[in-house]
Amino acid sequence: MVTRSRTVLAALVLLGSVGDAAAAEPPSAQGPAQSCHNPDALGVSRTIEVGGAPELGLKTYPRTLDLRDHEVVLTFDDGPWGPTTPDVLAALAAQCVKATFFLIGRNAQAHPELVRREVAEGHTVGHHTFDHPGVTLRNMSAEAGIEDIEHGMRVDDRAAGDEPWTGTPRVPFFRYPGFGDSPGSLAWLKARGVAVFGADLWASDWIPMTPDAELDLLMGRLRGAGRGIILLHDIKRQTADMLPRFLSALKAEGFHVVRIVPGGTATPTRDAPAGWSSETDRTLAHLWPKARAEIRAEARPVAPRAAAPAGDAAAGLKPSVE
Ligand SMILES: [Zn+2]
């Protein structure tokens, strides 16, 4: 049984890797059959294999990847989306950077060519349910949540060209919509060796703002945190427009991008600092008293339904802003 304790962590084991110099790998070493032709690119500094089905990301869990100072992992949720994902991929390619995409199955089904492109360009393609429901899986039965998770994995892998479905995903990485996990689905994922990713920081890109404002917000948070798993949304135009300057800023300020891939051994993790509590718990507890119908009624008040991709923004989930 996985617990999400609100108790203060003793944090007796703060791993002392701060200040390590990242061991640079040439960007061309990353990705299948991908070479980088930009000698000034940001690139990828190293690759971490994630195994042992951990639950990671300080917004939700009391542990995260054991990143060094000034190391980041880039993750993009809710795609693929035709108008914006190609621009995100182009920006990443221009800087020889590899990211992780957590796909909504419905969107993968609609844009399999983009899923195949993500795979071909050496990115890691994980899963984010099929339907991305307006309520989180925490508000659903375990059976319904697991069905949505598995459906998404099956559809994502089919879009990537992997058939038939074997019962386990090609890449055993998953992120819950709105970070709303549940004990039953967590146990199901753990039994299948699936790593669950929350995030350490985000750009709040579900809130409309200019790319300049989003860049300032994200870089400010990153300077404060010093490292972390970053959540972005490749369905957001403001994020696609911000990304080239964000990658340039990472390089200018000495940050390194770490690629994550599935691996067989348990991944070293770093414990949350003393006093940690789950921001996800606080946010979802605020939403919890609302009836499902009320939350659904709030779910799509802004964008026209036909034009809005499935995603966190459409779901109306607004994790609290730092
Ligand atoms: Zn999402």
Side-chain angles (χ1 to χ4, degrees):
M1 172 93 180
V2 177
T3 59
R4 192 180 308 97
S5 172
R6 288 169 176 274
T7 58
V8 174
L9 290 178
L12 295 174
V13 189
L14 284 173
L15 302 178
S17 62
V18 174
D20 286 357
E25 297 176 8
S28 58
Q30 306 304 322
Q34 296 293 312
S35 59
C36 178
H37 301 295
N38 177 3
D40 298 320
L42 173 62
V44 169
S45 65
R46 65 178 178 126
T47 298
I48 293 180
E49 292 191 356
V50 179
E55 291 143 10
L56 301 167
L58 298 177
K59 293 288 191 184
T60 311
Y61 304 108
R63 75 196 69 83
T64 190
L65 281 175
D66 188 22
L67 296 173
R68 300 164 182 157
D69 185 38
H70 275 65
E71 283 188 336
V72 298
V73 171
L74 302 182
T75 68
F76 294 88
D77 283 12
D78 293 358
W81 192 241
T84 47
T85 299
D87 292 343
V88 168
L89 289 170
L92 296 172
Q95 288 287 347
C96 307
V97 165
K98 306 303 179 190
T100 296
F101 290 86
F102 290 98
L103 307 184
I104 293 177
R106 194 146 35 87
N107 292 347
Q109 203 167 47
H111 298 287
E113 75 287 356
L114 290 175
V115 180
R116 293 193 178 101
R117 181 175 163 190
E118 289 169 356
V119 172
E121 294 184 2
H123 302 295
T124 300
V125 175
H127 312 280
H128 193 48
T129 74
F130 176 80
D131 198 40
H132 204 295
V135 291
T136 74
L137 270 60
R138 199 173 286 192
N139 302 70
M140 298 163 58
S141 71
E143 293 73 18
I146 290 166
E147 160 58 25
D148 199 20
I149 293 170
E150 185 171 28
H151 189 190
M153 291 173 169
R154 197 166 64 239
V155 167
D156 294 344
D157 280 8
R158 187 184 308 139
D162 283 9
E163 290 189 282
W165 175 246
T166 62
T168 55
R170 190 178 62 86
V171 174
F173 289 1
F174 178 75
R175 179 178 273 151
Y176 283 92
F179 301 137
D181 59 7
S182 64
S185 59
L186 276 170
W188 186 89
L189 291 163
K190 178 75 88 178
R192 283 154 186 79
V194 178
V196 174
F197 286 85
D200 297 325
L201 67 156
W202 49 51
S204 298
D205 61 357
W206 50 86
I207 299 171
M209 66 183 99
T210 66
D212 283 345
E214 187 176 321
L215 178 63
D216 288 347
L217 180 65
L218 180 55
M219 286 306 298
R221 289 174 176 172
L222 183 55
R223 290 180 196 116
R227 74 188 86 183
I229 303 169
I230 299 175
L231 165 68
L232 296 161
H233 291 84
D234 56 305
I235 63 168
K236 306 299 286 187
R237 168 50 57 194
Q238 66 198 44
T239 293
D241 289 348
M242 175 204 71
L243 192 59
R245 277 176 289 154
F246 175 56
L247 298 178
S248 296
L250 288 180
K251 180 160 191 189
E253 299 193 23
F255 286 94
H256 302 278
V257 175
V258 173
R259 181 188 184 209
I260 53 172
V261 298
T265 58
T267 308
T269 59
R270 180 167 54 89
D271 288 344
W276 176 91
S277 65
S278 165
E279 184 171 335
T280 298
D281 279 359
R282 294 195 298 275
T283 302
L284 297 187
H286 184 67
L287 291 171
W288 182 268
K290 297 186 178 183
R292 184 170 304 186
E294 288 180 289
I295 295 174
R296 283 202 177 280
E298 291 177 355
R300 293 169 181 83
V302 178
R305 278 187 199 193
D312 290 327
L317 295 171
K318 294 181 175 60
S320 59
V321 179
E322 294 167 354

